[in-house]
Amino acid sequence: MERESATTYEPKRNSEIRVFESLDEISTDLAEYISQISEISVKERGYFAIALSGGPLVSFLGKLCEAPYNKTLDWSKWYIFWSDERAVAKNHTESNYKLTKEGFLAKVPILNGHVYSINDNATVEDAAKDYEFVIRQLVKVRTIGVSESNDCPKFDLILLDMGSDGHVASLFPNHPALELKDDWVTYITDSPQPPPERITFTLPVINSASNIAIVATGDDKEKAMHLAVSDGTEGPEAPASLPARMVKPTDGKLVWFLDKAAASSLEAENGGDASYEHHEY
């Protein structure tokens, strides 16, 4: 299968940045990336446990619903989770579950019993506790892997979208939730973006994944992207608590999927770097 061309470089250990000319190219490469991780996970573990985020991310999953993936992937081994969810009803327009179901799940043969959404009838606090309990049960039977270094769940892939403020999942800049070490799932009631009540994976869970992919598109992401991966930024804009910068896989790999607009400051900075090359996938 002929792959799209993209510019890539590796700014840090265990991380890679891929820059694409168009959103369609991102979707094409992301589908191949997810497909490969799915095949490896099923072969090695018998399952593929993937956690999704909401927002614009779902629109990039469309290629997986088409040939060849809709026929070749072992969908019966897929287990779907959400790295964050809004505390709203499942049929609410702001529900990540609703968005994912309509844009992706309804178009592929993933088993309903393998889709783990939050309890939308519980309080946000109880929903977070319930979701963590479910994940703990699935880790016990190894449907979800376990990290050897910290006993956190080791998802095969956590797929995230970065906000213009640098947030990932529902972990926002300077929020106390960034400091949590022992919780797997937590809740917030003061999201700076509506709706205010959300559940979210914590950083230890995100960083324990075998693979993490972050999608960022649009020129409103340029500044946060620069802060997320640049070295030695100091002063009042120092990104010490920028959530996207805190995504550092413990034993896995992080891949960024960017369009030209989101990557513009990086491209200017790395244009003459020898590690910044043109590759064919």
Side-chain angles (χ1 to χ4, degrees), residues 61-122:
L61 300 177
K63 301 281 187 189
L64 287 172
C65 307
E66 303 170 1
Y69 307 110
N70 58 347
K71 303 294 186 188
T72 58
L73 286 175
D74 193 348
W75 296 105
S76 67
K77 303 296 197 301
W78 279 49
Y79 286 76
I80 303 288
F81 303 85
W82 277 267
S83 62
D84 66 318
E85 178 58 287
R86 290 85 178 267
V88 295
K90 284 187 175 66
N91 61 357
H92 193 283
T93 54
E94 292 182 309
S95 163
N96 286 341
Y97 169 82
K98 174 183 169 69
L99 194 67
T100 310
K101 184 172 184 180
E102 293 176 350
F104 176 57
L105 296 177
K107 302 174 183 178
V108 290
I110 293 171
L111 301 174
N112 287 337
H114 290 183
V115 178
Y116 292 88
S117 55
I118 72 165
N119 181 355
D120 59 341
N121 292 315

Side-chain angles (χ1 to χ4, degrees), residues 257-279:
F257 290 80
L258 311 177
D259 66 356
K260 290 281 190 181
S264 55
S265 64
L266 303 180
E267 294 204 297
E269 195 172 88
N270 290 275
D273 194 304
S275 66
Y276 190 72
E277 300 172 351
H278 205 71
H279 290 280

Side-chain angles (χ1 to χ4, degrees), residues 9-17 149 207 209-210 212 228-229 231 245-256 275:
Y9 59 100
E10 300 190 10
K12 296 176 183 173
R13 186 179 67 87
N14 297 338
S15 73
E16 175 188 339
I17 295 175
S149 55
N207 285 332
S210 294
I212 308 165
V229 301
D231 294 323
R245 188 179 177 89
M246 300 170 81
V247 176
K248 298 175 181 176
T250 311
D251 301 305
K253 183 171 182 182
L254 166 62
V255 179
W256 291 86
S275 66

